[in-house]
Amino acid sequence: MEWVSVDKIADHAHELVELRGWVANRRSSGKIRFLQLRDGRGVIQCVVLKNQVSPEVFELADKIPYESSVVVRGEVREDPRSPIGYEIGVRDLIVVSEAGEYPISKKDHGVGFLMDHRHLWLRSSKQHALMRIRSVLTRSAQRFFDEQGFVCIEAPILTPTACEGTTSLFRVEYFDRTAYLTQSGQLYGEAAAMSLGRIYVYGPTFRAEKSKTRRHLTEFWMIEPEMAFWELPETMDLAEGLVCRVVGDVLDKCAAELRVMERDTEPLERVVSPFPRITYSKAVEIIRRRGTPIQWGDDFGADEEAVLTEEFDKPFFVTHYPADIKAFYMKRDETDPRIALAVDLLAPEGYGEIIGGGRREESLELLEKRIREHNLDREPLEWYLDLRRYGSVPHSGFGLGIERAIAWIAGIRHVRETIAFPRLMDRLHP
Amino acid sequence: MEWVSVDKIADHAHELVELRGWVANRRSSGKIRFLQLRDGRGVIQCVVLKNQVSPEVFELADKIPYESSVVVRGEVREDPRSPIGYEIGVRDLIVVSEAGEYPISKKDHGVGFLMDHRHLWLRSSKQHALMRIRSVLTRSAQRFFDEQGFVCIEAPILTPTACEGTTSLFRVEYFDRTAYLTQSGQLYGEAAAMSLGRIYVYGPTFRAEKSKTRRHLTEFWMIEPEMAFWELPETMDLAEGLVCRVVGDVLDKCAAELRVMERDTEPLERVVSPFPRITYSKAVEIIRRRGTPIQWGDDFGADEEAVLTEEFDKPFFVTHYPADIKAFYMKRDETDPRIALAVDLLAPEGYGEIIGGGRREESLELLEKRIREHNLDREPLEWYLDLRRYGSVPHSGFGLGIERAIAWIAGIRHVRETIAFPRLMDRLHP
């Protein structure tokens, strides 16, 4: 008898098949027992009729503990009431491993308890759906760049120095010296772009921030393209294309998962080009008009971003930020040195920033000046300055925060459920 | 005038185009100047004739420093002597940024010097080729799993405990406690496989090994599939399929890069199914027969593996290792408890192990026993034991070391050039 997975069940209608998985749920009704079998690819109802199985199997179906692993053999039957169109008429049921009393019950557990049991919580339908959405999104983002000839580069995780300021760094004992966990692959991505033209870095990044917010993890993943000879407008086009692509692919491939998440997909259907593009100054005006006080020069917090997103029904760009609130490598506007050629992309529905990027300063002299102004240690950045000494070119790039993008697309408030094993200030386990 | 990249030059034959890149080389011959323009996508010869450009441009073409960034405008001309079939008849040449004296000259630099200038060394033709091969290989490996419905999972980098023994761990200051950099995503991958059936972990892993060998980096990438309900033979089939796929894709898409590496592709063409499968005991016999002393029970070092690879002209599996030299989670052979159901895949031509994996112990009782035998701290592994308490299933997986696979396929001796910014015991910079 062939072992088939639930997602391929339609190819085996009316056949006898074997399924392998876990008992997600069960109920009894007279001479019928219903088992919900979860096999990682889907969930299917298995119907056990008293007169079609041995007395042992019938009894087993009545008392097998939740999350026990089992092998089910039976007939694939069409069932119009099933969300997947099929159910299994059970002929045999074999226990692989009987589960102890499962810690996660149907009652409302607190997030702390669920996170302590993250290794089991991942089996729950919403967490399962989130992992599938994540995988589709990250695969889609990489393919988007692959198809355009970008070269995938791994930036180092262990670095000798800070990329964006010296606070919020994790220190690592590296033999007899100290290393730091990377905060962004960008500087390395710039070096690679001078070799390969267009590259993207994909990997984990780290911020030892003591804040506990719904938008921060200490360990999070970014995809960071960097393009030699690219200016800001085409960089925004690229970011727009990326976001349209990943949203489109998730809508296309994760319809069932978005239903599990109870995500209203109507706002996602609106994610098509062109995205609005406004300046920081215009954004300040909108935020003030909507009654939130803010001064020109202030950075946007989550609150200001949320207010701003009420103005738009799709993702939108904010450009031309005050240089003072942006990183040292940002190029200034040649017509107004108070302004950095920075660009953020904000997701609608209150989510806010999911992409940050901009033009990089290509002048050696100006970059040296910025390093002084930002009180950064120059010596560990000498190699980065070399990129301006030997064939410097205009170049641009951005970083998409994977977890924030998933939180928005899946419609959940906190980023902590968007990754298999989240790391937060007070969460390092399991 | 349209900006085109060198890899698309054939689409613009006889057109006037603009190219943007760096001066990789130049030479003069009477009234002709030749510039080799490198744009990250390819290298093309640009021919400057005295009577076709301004005197300033002609003079510039004679003295522009290597690695200066330039814009070239000119006509795309067919040239049968060119490796890409085309050259540029230059009309105009504009300097974007004149380079200082480039540190990397044509003379033989030591590896230490080159690694100190890794951010520039990446522009050299072999390093450029290696980065392209790497990108094709990692993209190919991920797609192989994506196409078979595997879900991509990110395992945590910051972990509370060790996966395979407590030596060679990097310690991280994690707020007021200590974290460790992951040595493998496997244990987390197992948890995810119990939720999603078939998963793969892709990410960086770390070993604080004090050894300096050609096969070790302190930071290296692995792709680690894990499959619920899979036994050893089908796991080996999967590994075989993966290796055939990535070698095939590199041969297919990186012919030019393999030529740059001066890689004899004949041994790579032989990488087709089936791969030989031998036991550890048989391997010991072969190593002895070839004159290298080894006792049953000894682990293979690089030397023993190299000897063994002389026996085969394609990758081959070694299975059924002594349990004592394998990790605590390895399942024992039910007919001989001295044996672990472990499998390694060794690359030919002296390269040795590129894949390690096997069946995982699914019995709670036996796993607890192994943890005691290996003197591991049990408390931080309680969550992992939960996977055996709640619906344990037979399962298997393996890890492919990306850098070792690239070193073999590209035909280089040392893994340090297979990643953009390698980390070794004495190398944390740039």
Side-chain angles (χ1 to χ4, degrees), chain B residues 86-97:
Chain B
Y86 296 90
E87 63 175 24
I88 302 292
V90 175
R91 303 284 174 89
D92 201 3
L93 171 66
I94 301 143
V95 176
V96 176
S97 176

Side-chain angles (χ1 to χ4, degrees), chain A residues 210-226:
Chain A
K210 286 192 175 150
S211 60
K212 297 181 189 178
T213 84
R214 65 181 180 86
R215 303 205 296 176
H216 290 90
L217 297 171
T218 54
E219 178 181 316
F220 58 102
W221 286 66
M222 284 212 283
I223 192 159
E224 301 179 272
E226 194 72 35

Side-chain angles (χ1 to χ4, degrees), chain A residues 129-199:
Chain A
L130 282 166
M131 290 306 102
R132 289 200 167 269
I133 291 169
R134 180 183 178 100
S135 185
V136 165
L137 183 142
T138 61
R139 303 306 80 231
S140 167
Q142 289 201 263
R143 266 197 298 274
F144 174 80
F145 291 113
D146 297 341
E147 287 164 5
Q148 296 179 64
F150 283 65
V151 176
C152 178
I153 288 288
E154 282 79 19
I157 310 302
L158 292 162
T159 63
T161 183
C163 168
E164 308 197 24
T166 48
T167 53
S168 70
L169 278 175
F170 284 115
R171 292 161 57 96
V172 183
E173 287 175 30
Y174 195 77
F175 304 104
D176 53 354
R177 40 205 292 216
T178 300
Y180 302 93
L181 296 183
T182 184
Q183 296 183 297
S184 158
Q186 179 200 319
L187 305 195
Y188 295 96
E190 289 182 54
M194 301 304 133
S195 163
L196 295 148
R198 297 178 208 168
I199 63 89

Side-chain angles (χ1 to χ4, degrees), chain B residues 293-363:
Chain B
I294 183 170
Q295 298 296 316
W296 195 98
D298 291 350
D299 204 357
F300 300 152
D303 291 346
E304 289 78 19
E305 287 188 8
V307 168
L308 200 51
T309 69
E310 290 167 17
E311 188 84 4
F312 301 96
D313 68 350
K314 57 162 80 173
F316 58 97
F317 291 103
V318 180
T319 64
H320 298 85
Y321 281 82
D324 287 348
I325 58 172
K326 289 293 180 183
F328 76 96
Y329 49 72
M330 288 279 186
K331 186 178 170 70
R332 304 285 173 97
D333 189 333
E334 278 164 16
T335 66
D336 183 351
R338 295 175 312 151
I339 301 289
L341 295 177
V343 57
D344 285 357
L345 183 74
L346 279 70
E349 302 174 81
Y351 282 93
E353 187 199 338
I354 55 170
I355 281 178
R359 274 291 307 275
R360 320 311 189 182
E361 180 55 67
E362 72 258 31
S363 152

Side-chain angles (χ1 to χ4, degrees), chain A residues 79 146 183 234 242 263 285 292 303 306 344 380 411:
Chain A
D79 177 15
D146 297 341
Q183 296 183 297
E234 54 261 36
L242 171 66
R263 175 62 160 123
E285 208 177 279
T292 300
D303 290 347
D344 285 357

Side-chain angles (χ1 to χ4, degrees), chain A residues 3 20-22 38-41 67-70 96-103 117 119-120 122-123 128 131-132 134-135 138-139 142-143 146 148-160 170-175 177-179 181 188 191-198 200 202-204 206 208-210 218-219 221 228-230 380 383 386-394 419-421 423-425 427-430, chain B residues 3 20-22 38-41 67-70 96-103 117 119-120 122-123 128 131-132 134-135 138-139 142-143 146 148-160 170-175 177-179 181 188 191-198 200 202-204 206 208-210 218-219 221 228-230 380 383 386-394 419-421 423-425 427-430:
Chain A
W3 172 27
R20 303 177 188 181
W22 294 264
R38 172 182 76 70
D39 79 344
R41 321 278 290 225
E67 286 300 324
S68 296
S69 47
V70 293
V96 176
S97 177
E98 187 178 307
E101 196 183 342
Y102 198 60
H117 295 85
H119 52 293
L120 302 176
L122 285 176
R123 305 179 185 187
H128 185 274
M131 290 306 102
R132 289 200 167 269
R134 180 183 178 100
S135 185
T138 61
R139 303 306 80 231
Q142 289 201 263
R143 266 197 298 274
D146 297 341
Q148 296 179 64
F150 283 65
V151 176
C152 178
I153 288 288
E154 282 79 19
I157 310 302
L158 292 162
T159 63
F170 284 115
R171 292 161 57 96
V172 183
E173 287 175 30
Y174 195 77
F175 304 104
R177 40 205 292 216
T178 300
L181 296 183
Y188 295 96
M194 301 304 133
S195 163
L196 295 148
R198 297 178 208 168
Y200 68 95
Y202 181 63
F206 303 84
E209 275 174 293
K210 286 192 175 150
T218 54
E219 178 181 316
W221 286 66
F229 293 103
W230 281 41
W383 71 268
D386 272 358
L387 306 180
R388 277 67 180 175
R389 291 188 182 105
Y390 306 107
S392 190
V393 301
I419 188 164
F421 294 93
R423 294 298 180 241
L424 297 104
M425 189 182 158
R427 168 67 52 195
L428 185 60
H429 179 89
Chain B
W3 172 28
R20 303 177 188 180
W22 294 266
R38 172 182 77 70
D39 79 344
R41 323 277 292 227
E67 285 302 323
S68 295
S69 47
V70 294
V96 176
S97 176
E98 188 177 307
E101 195 182 344
Y102 198 60
H117 295 84
H119 53 292
L120 302 176
L122 286 176
R123 304 180 185 187
H128 185 274
M131 291 306 103
R132 288 199 167 272
R134 181 183 177 99
S135 185
T138 61
R139 302 306 81 230
Q142 289 201 262
R143 265 195 300 275
D146 296 341
Q148 296 179 64
F150 283 65
V151 176
C152 178
I153 288 287
E154 283 80 17
I157 310 303
L158 292 162
T159 63
F170 284 116
R171 293 162 57 95
V172 183
E173 288 175 29
Y174 195 78
F175 303 104
R177 43 206 290 215
T178 299
L181 296 183
Y188 294 97
M194 302 304 132
S195 163
L196 295 148
R198 297 178 207 169
Y200 68 95
Y202 182 63
F206 304 84
E209 276 174 291
K210 286 194 174 150
T218 55
E219 177 181 316
W221 286 66
F229 293 103
W230 280 41
W383 71 267
D386 273 356
L387 306 180
R388 277 67 180 174
R389 291 188 183 105
Y390 306 107
S392 191
V393 301
I419 188 165
F421 295 93
R423 294 298 180 242
L424 297 105
M425 189 182 157
R427 169 67 52 197
L428 184 60
H429 178 90

Side-chain angles (χ1 to χ4, degrees), chain B residues 9-281:
Chain B
I9 207 74
D11 302 340
H12 299 271
H14 314 297
E15 292 175 20
L16 281 175
V17 299
E18 179 173 301
L19 293 164
R20 303 177 188 180
W22 294 266
V23 178
N25 215 338
R26 65 176 154 69
R27 65 189 171 86
S28 300
S29 171
K31 291 180 181 173
I32 313 186
R33 305 286 175 265
F34 299 97
L35 297 181
Q36 298 293 326
L37 185 83
R38 172 182 77 70
D39 79 344
R41 323 277 292 227
V43 176
I44 194 165
Q45 175 159 279
C46 303
V47 182
V48 188
L49 289 174
K50 190 166 186 172
N51 62 1
Q52 289 191 345
V53 294
S54 70
E56 294 74 26
V57 164
F58 193 72
E59 200 193 330
L60 186 63
D62 210 20
K63 61 169 200 190
I64 184 161
Y66 295 125
E67 285 302 323
S68 295
S69 47
V70 294
V71 172
V72 170
R73 294 184 182 130
E75 189 195 351
V76 180
R77 297 192 302 225
E78 285 176 46
D79 177 19
R81 293 159 304 177
S82 159
I84 60 169
Y86 296 90
E87 63 175 24
I88 302 292
V90 175
R91 303 284 174 89
D92 201 3
L93 171 66
I94 301 143
V95 176
V96 176
S97 176
E98 188 177 307
E101 195 182 344
Y102 198 60
I104 302 177
S105 58
K106 275 174 205 150
K107 70 173 185 194
D108 257 355
H109 297 285
V111 169
F113 177 87
L114 291 168
M115 278 294 175
D116 285 341
H117 295 84
R118 183 64 176 166
H119 53 292
L120 302 176
W121 191 24
L122 286 176
R123 304 180 185 187
S124 302
S125 56
K126 284 201 175 181
Q127 303 307 316
H128 185 274
L130 282 166
M131 291 306 103
R132 288 199 167 272
I133 290 169
R134 181 183 177 99
S135 185
V136 166
L137 183 141
T138 61
R139 302 306 81 230
S140 168
Q142 289 201 262
R143 265 195 300 275
F144 174 80
F145 291 112
D146 296 341
E147 287 163 7
Q148 296 179 64
F150 283 65
V151 176
C152 178
I153 288 287
E154 283 80 17
I157 310 303
L158 292 162
T159 63
T161 183
C163 168
E164 307 197 25
T166 48
T167 52
S168 71
L169 278 174
F170 284 116
R171 293 162 57 95
V172 183
E173 288 175 29
Y174 195 78
F175 303 104
D176 53 355
R177 43 206 290 215
T178 299
Y180 303 94
L181 296 183
T182 183
Q183 296 183 298
S184 157
Q186 180 200 316
L187 305 195
Y188 294 97
E190 289 183 53
M194 302 304 132
S195 163
L196 295 148
R198 297 178 207 169
I199 63 91
Y200 68 95
V201 173
Y202 182 63
T205 52
F206 304 84
R207 303 266 165 110
E209 276 174 291
K210 286 194 174 150
S211 60
K212 297 182 188 177
T213 84
R214 65 180 181 85
R215 302 205 296 176
H216 289 91
L217 297 172
T218 55
E219 177 181 316
F220 58 103
W221 286 66
M222 285 213 281
I223 192 159
E224 300 179 273
E226 194 72 35
M227 298 75 68
F229 293 103
W230 280 41
E231 303 283 346
L232 209 53
E234 54 261 35
T235 303
M236 290 160 76
D237 293 344
L238 186 77
E240 190 170 303
L242 171 66
V243 170
C244 290
R245 169 67 175 269
V246 300
V247 170
D249 278 353
V250 170
L251 281 171
D252 191 36
K253 297 177 183 173
C254 297
E257 286 77 11
L258 291 169
R259 272 196 303 275
V260 169
M261 298 307 299
E262 300 171 64
R263 176 62 159 121
D264 176 9
T265 55
E266 200 273 322
L268 298 179
E269 308 277 359
R270 281 197 300 265
V271 181
V272 288
S273 290
F275 295 170
R277 301 177 179 198
I278 62 169
T279 63
Y280 167 87
S281 297

Side-chain angles (χ1 to χ4, degrees), chain A residues 324-343:
Chain A
D324 287 347
I325 58 171
K326 289 292 179 184
F328 77 96
Y329 50 70
M330 288 279 186
K331 186 178 170 70
R332 304 284 172 98
D333 189 333
E334 279 165 13
T335 65
D336 183 351
R338 295 175 312 151
I339 300 290
L341 295 177
V343 57

